[in-house]
Amino acid sequence: MKSSPLPLLFTLFFTGLVGCQSTTTADTNQNVSAQLQQKALESSLAYDIVESLTVEVGPRLAGSEKDLIAVQWAENKLNSLGFDKVYKEAVKVPVWQRGEAKASIVSPFAQPLVITALGGSVGTPEEGINAPIVRFESLEALKLAEPSQVLGKIVFIDHITPRFKTGKGYSITVGGRSRGAIAAAEKGALAIVIRSIGTDHDRMAHTGMMRYQEGVEKIPAAAMSNPDADLIALMLKRDPNVILHLKLTPKNLGYATSYNVIAEVTGSSKPDEIVLIGAHLDSWDEGTGAIDDGAGVAIVTTAGHLISQLPQRPARTVRVVLYAAEELGLIGGKSYAKAHQHELDKHYIAAESDFGAGYIYQLDFNVADSAFAAIQAHTASMQANGVAMGNNQASGGPDVSMLPNHGVPVASLRQDGTDYFDYHHTPNDTLDKIDPKALAQNAAAYAQFAYLMAQSEIELRPLTSKTK
């Protein structure tokens, strides 16, 4: 007796039905992604948000009075935009006041210089420091120097930051800013002054955080404008005995409480699973924090808002995190990872916008190799917004860069940073540096990304590499 073909026919029918449903779901996701793109590109919301932040709050150094004003601004803004939940989480932050920064060449060619204190620096004696300059082309050259070359002098690291679309020049030179004071003090220097970590030719100094090391004397640290670094280099060619006067009056005032500000669009079927998109709320105190990182705040807030306005919420929760004290050492990001360690296994993916407002040109991931092709196909609709598919080596952005070590997949939406380091950490970081159209394209890309990730059925873990 032959077996009936009916079971096979039913199997084929249901397999075909499931396949059709999967295709239909994929098409729906891509259609919604396209709609989000159009909505974002037609909206001025992102620009309105960064305008509000820079005008109504302005510079917001973590631990300052303006920092808490920014936190309140963020809560009010997020609540006004219809998120399902808005809350804040306390973060302990150091309090540092910049004070005054003055420098001049005493001899052989007396001239004033444009400088700024590096974040966290100690001050000079009240009368300042007068000492010869010793020049090094890089931090590595300083480390190789004999202590006798440095003892009793002011170290000058003259490392020029090269310009790249990716911004990788910053990583080449930033070590001099962050670790130069340690290396100089170990060899007996009285202070350190670096060429600004910037790609501009403006007579404007770039600040940024520096570090000390326990057991090594703390010496004053400052950055000078690129034209002034050029000036000193030319003086040293004429006379190796250039005397610099340096006076800094910063103060470290202990600790204060700041906050990570968080908003959520609750998922419809997987509300306990999280797609995190973040930016940092704090800024340095010299500009108005427009590109660093008011733009990021506007981008991810707009993306979350657009998703909240969809007729049907995505499956997963979209969580917008505005981090505290990124500039002082990723403090808000580290605090978030610790506070949420119990649910990091529920974080589907994370990404951060913290590279200005240049057009997003590429989407990189850090997911399981087995998932990479599928997740690229799932985000293919973003190509219509000018976003090409990239590699599987993303870091995710500063405040989420520690999450892969906890197994959390991340993505990097790569922005054109060709001119980002012209303005980074200077008084020139102001609203006029933002192109509204480019900002809208960023908001569109983040809205598409967050929505598609919230809808994805692709298993992204385990990561091939936790530290990239």
Side-chain angles (χ1 to χ4, degrees):
M1 178 177 170
K2 293 183 179 179
S3 60
S4 168
L6 287 178
L8 176 60
L9 290 174
F10 276 121
T11 300
L12 292 173
F13 172 77
F14 282 115
T15 301
L17 182 60
V18 170
C20 289
Q21 289 175 332
S22 177
T23 301
T24 301
T25 300
D27 289 345
T28 300
N29 288 338
Q30 302 308 314
N31 288 338
V32 174
S33 171
Q35 292 167 20
L36 286 168
Q37 176 189 334
Q38 182 178 358
K39 286 283 188 183
L41 294 178
E42 293 174 350
S43 172
S44 65
L45 179 60
Y47 192 83
D48 293 342
I49 290 172
V50 70
E51 178 188 285
S52 172
L53 178 57
T54 57
V55 172
E56 298 162 27
V57 182
R60 44 202 183 274
L61 184 64
S64 69
E65 181 180 347
K66 279 293 191 75
D67 182 34
L68 295 182
I69 292 173
V71 168
Q72 187 62 60
W73 172 91
E75 287 187 282
N76 292 342
K77 186 65 67 177
L78 293 166
N79 277 311
S80 75
L81 290 172
F83 285 90
D84 298 322
K85 186 188 296 185
V86 177
Y87 54 102
K88 62 186 181 183
E89 296 177 342
V91 178
K92 185 179 180 182
V93 301
V95 180
W96 179 80
Q97 290 183 353
R98 179 172 302 283
E100 291 184 322
K102 294 182 179 180
S104 59
I105 300 300
V106 176
S107 66
F109 312 108
Q111 291 201 45
L113 303 176
V114 175
I115 68 162
T116 188
L118 294 179
S121 175
V122 297
T124 62
E126 187 175 348
E127 68 277 10
I129 296 171
N130 276 34
I133 292 172
V134 57
R135 176 184 175 273
F136 297 96
E137 291 188 351
S138 65
L139 174 62
E140 291 68 28
L142 169 60
K143 289 180 176 179
L144 293 172
E146 292 295 327
S148 58
Q149 293 178 258
V150 176
L151 182 65
K153 297 179 181 179
I154 296 174
V155 163
F156 166 41
I157 295 183
D158 190 19
H159 201 170
I160 297 173
T161 302
R163 186 185 298 275
F164 292 96
K165 180 179 181 179
T166 61
K168 70 177 184 179
Y170 181 75
S171 63
I172 293 171
T173 57
V174 73
R177 188 192 77 198
S178 60
R179 301 186 299 276
I182 299 170
E186 286 177 330
K187 297 179 185 294
L190 300 179
I192 182 170
V193 180
I194 67 165
R195 174 187 284 268
S196 281
I197 312 301
T199 49
D200 62 301
H201 298 286
D202 296 322
R203 202 174 190 190
M204 209 169 276
H206 296 238
T207 191
M209 200 64 186
M210 51 80 63
R211 305 175 192 166
Y212 292 116
Q213 182 175 302
E214 189 173 351
V216 178
E217 184 180 356
K218 296 179 179 181
I219 61 173
M224 70 178 71
S225 76
N226 283 314
D228 284 299
D230 294 339
L231 180 65
I232 290 179
L234 292 170
M235 286 184 180
L236 287 167
K237 285 183 178 180
R238 288 165 166 79
D239 188 330
N241 189 34
V242 174
I243 307 299
L244 175 68
H245 174 74
L246 177 68
K247 184 176 181 179
L248 304 178
T249 64
K251 293 180 181 179
N252 289 285
L253 300 174
Y255 290 87
T257 300
S258 188
Y259 298 89
N260 288 337
V261 185
I262 302 171
E264 294 180 358
V265 179
T266 305
S268 59
S269 61
K270 303 175 183 177
D272 60 332
E273 296 187 23
I274 307 299
V275 173
L276 188 159
I277 51 175
H280 68 85
L281 185 58
D282 66 310
S283 79
W284 283 107
D285 50 329
E286 300 203 292
T288 61
I291 65 167
D292 188 18
D293 188 26
V297 169
I299 289 162
V300 299
T301 298
T302 299
H305 168 74
L306 291 173
I307 292 169
S308 77
Q309 301 303 297
L310 292 172
Q312 176 65 42
R313 297 294 174 89
R316 294 183 179 87
T317 292
V318 174
R319 179 177 289 174
V320 174
V321 183
L322 306 183
Y323 291 100
E326 184 273 344
E327 299 292 6
L328 304 187
L330 313 182
I331 295 171
K334 293 172 184 176
S335 177
Y336 178 91
K338 184 176 181 180
H340 293 266
Q341 57 186 331
H342 64 285
E343 63 169 7
L344 290 181
D345 62 332
K346 294 291 188 180
H347 282 55
Y348 183 73
I349 198 166
E352 181 178 9
S353 176
D354 182 19
F355 196 46
Y359 282 95
I360 293 173
Y361 63 89
Q362 182 171 302
L363 173 60
D364 296 341
F365 286 96
N366 182 359
V367 299
D369 280 344
S370 58
F372 182 52
I375 204 66
Q376 284 192 309
H378 183 63
T379 52
S381 58
M382 294 177 65
Q383 294 181 51
N385 191 31
V387 182
M389 296 297 101
N391 58 53
N392 198 27
Q393 299 178 349
S395 65
D399 288 298
V400 303
S401 61
M402 64 286 298
L403 295 183
N405 285 325
H406 298 278
V408 179
V410 295
S412 294
L413 286 78
R414 302 290 186 188
Q415 294 163 287
D416 186 334
T418 302
D419 65 354
Y420 179 70
F421 291 107
D422 288 354
Y423 314 117
H424 182 251
H425 294 181
T426 73
N428 227 358
D429 179 2
T430 48
L431 183 64
D432 59 299
K433 309 309 183 301
I434 294 177
D435 175 355
K437 290 183 179 179
L439 190 69
Q441 187 260 0
N442 274 255
Y446 267 87
Q448 292 177 289
F449 167 80
Y451 174 79
L452 291 168
M453 294 302 99
Q455 288 289 87
S456 171
E457 296 179 2
I458 302 164
E459 177 53 62
L460 302 183
R461 304 185 187 210
L463 302 187
T464 302
S465 174
K466 291 187 178 182
T467 54
K468 293 202 174 186

